[in-house]
Amino acid sequence: PLTWFLYWLSGAASTSALPVGVQSGSCATNAVGLLPGSNYAYQLFVSNVAGSAWSDVRSFTTFPTGPLARYVTPPGAGLANGYDWDNAYSNLQDAVDDGEYPGDTVYLRYGAYSNVQAIRISNAPGLAIRGQYSGTGAPGGRTNLPTLVTRGTGALARLFRCYASTVLVEQVNLEQGRLENPELWGAGLWLTNCDVLLTNCTLRNNAIVNPGG
């Protein structure tokens, strides 16, 4: 059927309509000129020779233009978009990649975050990664249970690789990073042109070994 995407700012009187063309399944389009940090409602309208129909009304929220908060839990949750604990990412790298403003913060619930490759942070102008949260509230309180970043079982991986960034890491333990090349550096952290502050963190059992003995 012919398909239109209709959207409007929540509470506003006017509606914008984008023709999407003939569609037979899922579809996508780009909306421009949206206000930052705003809630929008949207709906699809379809029509063919058999008649027409409307979808249910759904909503989305645009990114703000100020510092972003992203939430991560070991299993992830909900929509997995990082907007809050109920829709948390499961992957720390996804939350880091979302960042674009000075003062962006990644909140980590307690638990273990296993990675098969290094968390890469590049050109971050003031990123904070804060751990040991209970996983309720915004961001809510902290617990005595640790937040641990480690390598995946059987993987050879550095834990963090940072370039040209200013980063605060708070109450996050970095353990079991491992590389098997004596010419490499930093199995836990490798920093290039960075200003990094570690607060209440433990670095333990990160090693670079010679596989030849």
Side-chain angles (χ1 to χ4, degrees):
L2 286 170
T3 304
W4 288 263
F5 175 77
L6 297 93
Y7 64 97
W8 57 95
L9 186 66
S10 294
S14 60
T15 299
S16 300
L18 296 175
V20 188
V22 176
Q23 303 292 328
S24 59
S26 62
C27 62
T29 189
N30 292 319
V32 298
L34 303 177
L35 297 175
S38 299
N39 297 318
Y40 284 83
Y42 70 92
Q43 191 173 29
L44 292 179
F45 175 74
V46 295
S47 177
N48 62 15
V49 294
S52 60
W54 293 88
S55 73
D56 293 336
V57 175
R58 301 292 179 88
S59 64
F60 63 89
T61 301
T62 55
F63 285 120
T65 56
L68 301 175
R70 289 292 176 262
Y71 296 79
V72 189
T73 67
L79 298 175
N81 56 23
Y83 283 14
D84 51 33
W85 295 120
D86 291 334
N87 297 286
Y89 284 128
S90 63
N91 188 322
L92 174 55
Q93 185 68 66
D94 290 337
V96 168
D97 290 346
D98 259 0
E100 56 182 308
Y101 303 108
D104 287 344
T105 302
V106 176
Y107 296 104
L108 300 175
R109 203 194 72 179
Y110 65 87
Y113 298 83
S114 299
N115 302 291
V116 296
Q117 59 185 12
I119 302 299
R120 300 178 71 86
I121 302 173
S122 180
N123 298 304
L127 175 66
I129 300 174
R130 305 179 187 271
Q132 283 190 238
Y133 284 90
S134 63
T136 59
R142 282 169 156 156
T143 76
N144 292 324
L145 300 174
T147 294
L148 171 65
V149 175
T150 186
R151 62 184 170 91
T153 302
L156 293 174
R158 175 183 292 117
L159 301 182
F160 279 90
R161 180 69 172 103
C162 302
Y163 306 85
S165 296
T166 301
V167 183
L168 166 68
V169 183
E170 182 180 88
Q171 292 184 233
V172 178
N173 297 338
L174 311 181
E175 300 183 11
Q176 303 295 334
R178 183 182 176 91
L179 298 171
E180 291 188 351
N181 185 335
E183 297 183 0
L184 297 177
W185 298 85
L189 286 162
W190 189 13
L191 313 175
T192 302
N193 297 325
C194 290
D195 183 357
V196 174
L197 175 63
L198 304 179
T199 302
N200 296 325
C201 299
T202 299
L203 279 70
R204 180 186 294 120
N205 295 332
N206 300 294
I208 297 175
V209 300
N210 188 341

